[in-house]
């Protein structure tokens, strides 16, 4: 696996004794549940970890518009089209709040965009899968936004103030997204045989990629220990994946659809579902750029950036003229 920007040392966390006095005071603030704000002192690793995670999160929101945007012109009714349009616009907004949050850490939006376009920064693996039918739009809202909420609700309590505050509004909107997806699934699951089959097929294809959204299993997660010590992450990848499965299985049952996992079973003693892991080889291949749509997605983003160059040039020329005019007055 390759890591972007921040490499874990593999040496484990620093003990209190190994911390400098500044690092110790910083850790005390974290342990006391204080929020860290942009002008506060912070260890470089904390800053870089946040830039990596918030930047990746922002890129995911922006790239995540592509699979759903693909269906705006083909939505089955005018109201479905309006709802999907609003949802995709929300994702653009989420990307913008998150880029702003990352900028407070001293990285520019252009640097983040460049890192995405050159493959140095990642975006969520889920968006490298295609949307083949209208039911996929239902499955994305239900499962992908459902997984996103499970991950993002705790992030409202993350230690970095601007990230935590951005999450509050994002979570409210994600909740609407999840419901619109489930609403599409309900319509299709209660529709004709063909519609029901489409809904089941979408669930079959999106189930495991949705489980992968939570990241590798805890034993393979290189950043979790440090990120949790800094309260950047509140839960481990496996904890959130389990919560998502526990929440989603009854929803699938209500739809009359089958989770594509023969080993799925409820354990009465633990009160949790036992489930099969996703194919981690596939996950790491997608991360390396070899998923079904990686090239198409990144190609679309780079093309949009290049096609928009004349707008940026025009705005810059206007700004230069405007400031020259003000200086001459
Ligand atoms: N995809 O040590 P780990 C949305 C990488 S968008 C790609 O566990 P960490 C929506 C990880 O970056 C919601 N890469 O890492 C939008 C690391 O590699 P690097 C997106 C992944 O950071 C539009 C390596 O694997 N949500 O909702 O502690 C339409 C080792 O992992 C993935 C967020 O971004 C993945 N799935 O934990 C609809 C949430 N998983 O960076 C919906 C914010 C892991 O060293 N992010 N990697 O090269 C997080 O909570 C954490 O970053 C993660 C990973 C749980 C994802």
């Amino acid at each position: 696996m390759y890591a972007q920007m921040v490499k874990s040392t593999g040496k484990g966390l620093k003990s209190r004794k190994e911390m400098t006095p500044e690092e110790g005071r910083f850790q005390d603030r974290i342990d006391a549940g204080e929020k860290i704000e942009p002008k506060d002192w912070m260890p470089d690793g904390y800053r870089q970890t946040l830039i990596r995670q918030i930047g990746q999160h922002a890129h995911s929101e922006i790239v995540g518009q592509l699979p759903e945007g693909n269906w705006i012109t083909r939505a089955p009714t005018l109201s479905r089209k309006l709802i999907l349009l609003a949802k995709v616009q929300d994702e653009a907004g989420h990307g913008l709040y998150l880029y702003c949050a990352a900028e407070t850490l001293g990285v520019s939006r252009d640097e983040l965009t460049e890192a995405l376009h050159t493959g140095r920064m990642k975006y969520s693996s889920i968006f490298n899968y295609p949307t083949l039918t209208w039911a996929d739009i239902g499955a994305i809202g239900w499962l992908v936004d459902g997984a996103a909420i499970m991950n993002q609700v705790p992030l409202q309590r993350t230690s970095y103030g601007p990230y935590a505050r951005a999450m509050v509004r994002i979570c409210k909107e994600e909740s609407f997204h999840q419901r619109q997806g489930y609403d599409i699934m309900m319509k299709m699951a209660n529709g004709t045989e063909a519609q029901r089959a489409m809904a089941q097929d979408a669930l079959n294809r999106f189930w495991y990629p949705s489980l992968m959204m939570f990241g590798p299993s805890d034993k393979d997660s290189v950043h979790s220990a440090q990120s949790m010590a800094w309260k950047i992450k509140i839960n481990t990848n496996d904890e959130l994946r389990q919560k998502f499965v526990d929440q989603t299985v009854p929803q699938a049952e209500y739809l009359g659809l089958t989770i594509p996992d023969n080993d799925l079973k409820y354990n009465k003693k633990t009160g949790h579902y036992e489930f099969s892991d996703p194919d981690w080889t596939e996950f790491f291949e997608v991360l390396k750029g070899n998923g079904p749509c990686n090239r198409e997605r990144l190609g679309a983003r780079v093309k949009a950036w290049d096609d928009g160059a004349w707008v940026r040039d025009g705005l810059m020329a206007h700004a230069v003229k405007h400031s020259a005019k003000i200086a001459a007055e």
Side-chain angles (χ1 to χ4, degrees), residues 139 142-144 178 182 185 189 196 199-211 241-266 273-278:
W142 172 35
L143 301 173
V144 175
Q178 199 268 353
Y182 197 67
M185 293 306 272
R196 202 175 171 70
Q200 181 63 54
D201 174 58
L203 170 57
N204 292 349
R205 284 180 291 106
F206 276 93
W207 177 250
Y208 286 106
S210 300
L211 297 188
R241 195 172 4 254
Q242 180 70 58
K243 276 182 98 169
F244 173 75
V245 172
D246 290 343
Q247 173 185 283
T248 309
V249 173
Q251 294 172 350
E253 280 166 3
Y254 184 76
L255 292 171
L257 299 178
T258 308
I259 303 278
D261 179 356
N262 292 333
D263 295 326
L264 183 79
K265 60 172 186 291
Y266 185 69
Y273 283 90
E274 291 168 6
F275 59 96
S276 305
D277 264 345

Side-chain angles (χ1 to χ4, degrees), residues 149-162:
I149 295 172
M150 196 54 85
N151 167 278
Q152 290 172 6
V153 165
L155 286 178
Q156 294 176 107
R157 290 180 284 121
T158 191
S159 58
Y160 188 57

Side-chain angles (χ1 to χ4, degrees), residues 1-4 52-53 56-57 60-61 64 68 87 91 122-125 127 144-145 148 151-152 155 163 174 212-216 221-224 233 237 283 287:
M1 177 197 345
Y2 68 99
Q4 67 193 18
R52 179 185 65 78
Q53 180 167 323
Q56 173 171 313
H57 195 161
S60 303
E61 301 283 358
E68 291 178 289
K87 179 199 190 290
E91 310 298 0
K122 296 188 172 81
Y123 55 89
S124 180
S125 51
F127 303 117
V144 175
D145 287 277
N151 167 278
Q152 290 172 6
L155 286 178
Y163 192 22
E174 296 292 15
M212 292 176 193
M213 284 177 73
F214 296 95
S221 170
V222 286
H223 301 298
S224 280
K233 279 170 86 164
N237 300 352
F283 172 73
L287 260 55

Side-chain angles (χ1 to χ4, degrees), residues 59-282:
H59 296 326
S60 303
E61 301 283 358
I62 297 298
V63 177
Q65 294 177 97
L66 296 170
E68 291 178 289
N70 190 31
W71 278 89
I72 291 172
T73 54
R74 290 178 285 163
T77 67
L78 181 60
S79 89
R80 291 284 185 205
K81 190 194 286 269
L82 286 171
I83 294 167
L84 183 58
L85 199 58
K87 179 199 190 290
V88 173
Q89 283 175 342
D90 283 353
E91 310 298 0
H94 298 175
L96 298 186
Y97 315 144
L98 288 163
Y99 283 129
C100 289
E103 280 177 319
T104 65
L105 291 154
V107 65
S108 75
R109 181 137 154 223
D110 282 356
E111 285 172 298
L112 291 170
T113 305
E114 213 235 328
L116 171 71
H117 292 178
T118 53
R120 281 185 296 119
M121 276 184 96
K122 296 188 172 81
Y123 55 89
S124 180
S125 51
I126 188 72
F127 303 117
N128 293 306
Y129 291 85
T131 41
L132 304 178
T133 71
W134 174 252
D136 290 7
I137 301 305
I140 288 184
W142 172 35
L143 301 173
V144 175
D145 287 277
I149 295 172
M150 196 54 85
N151 167 278
Q152 290 172 6
V153 165
L155 286 178
Q156 294 176 107
R157 290 180 284 121
T158 191
S159 58
Y160 188 57
Y163 192 22
R165 291 189 286 275
M167 278 301 126
V168 174
R169 175 157 175 188
I170 292 179
C171 283
K172 289 202 170 107
E173 292 176 349
E174 296 292 15
S175 170
F176 151 66
H177 298 171
Q178 199 268 353
R179 282 160 201 220
Q180 69 84 37
Y182 197 67
D183 186 59
I184 294 174
M185 293 306 272
M186 282 211 286
K187 218 17 174 221
M188 300 206 66
N190 293 305
T192 63
E193 265 314 301
Q195 286 171 321
R196 202 175 171 70
M198 276 167 75
Q200 181 63 54
D201 174 58
L203 170 57
N204 292 349
R205 284 180 291 106
F206 276 93
W207 177 250
Y208 286 106
S210 300
L211 297 188
M212 292 176 193
M213 284 177 73
F214 296 95
S217 64
D218 289 352
K219 66 178 169 31
D220 293 321
S221 170
V222 286
H223 301 298
S224 280
Q226 180 63 76
S227 288
M228 289 182 72
W230 279 329
K231 295 191 185 162
I232 290 174
K233 279 170 86 164
I234 309 294
N235 303 91
T236 73
N237 300 352
D238 286 339
E239 279 167 12
L240 292 175
R241 195 172 4 254
Q242 180 70 58
K243 276 182 98 169
F244 173 75
V245 172
D246 290 343
Q247 173 185 283
T248 309
V249 173
Q251 294 172 350
E253 280 166 3
Y254 184 76
L255 292 171
L257 299 178
T258 308
I259 303 278
D261 179 356
N262 292 333
D263 295 326
L264 183 79
K265 60 172 186 291
Y266 185 69
N267 183 328
K268 273 190 191 155
K269 274 195 197 140
T270 61
H272 296 295
Y273 283 90
E274 291 168 6
F275 59 96
S276 305
D277 264 345
D279 177 349
W280 292 120
T281 309
E282 176 183 317

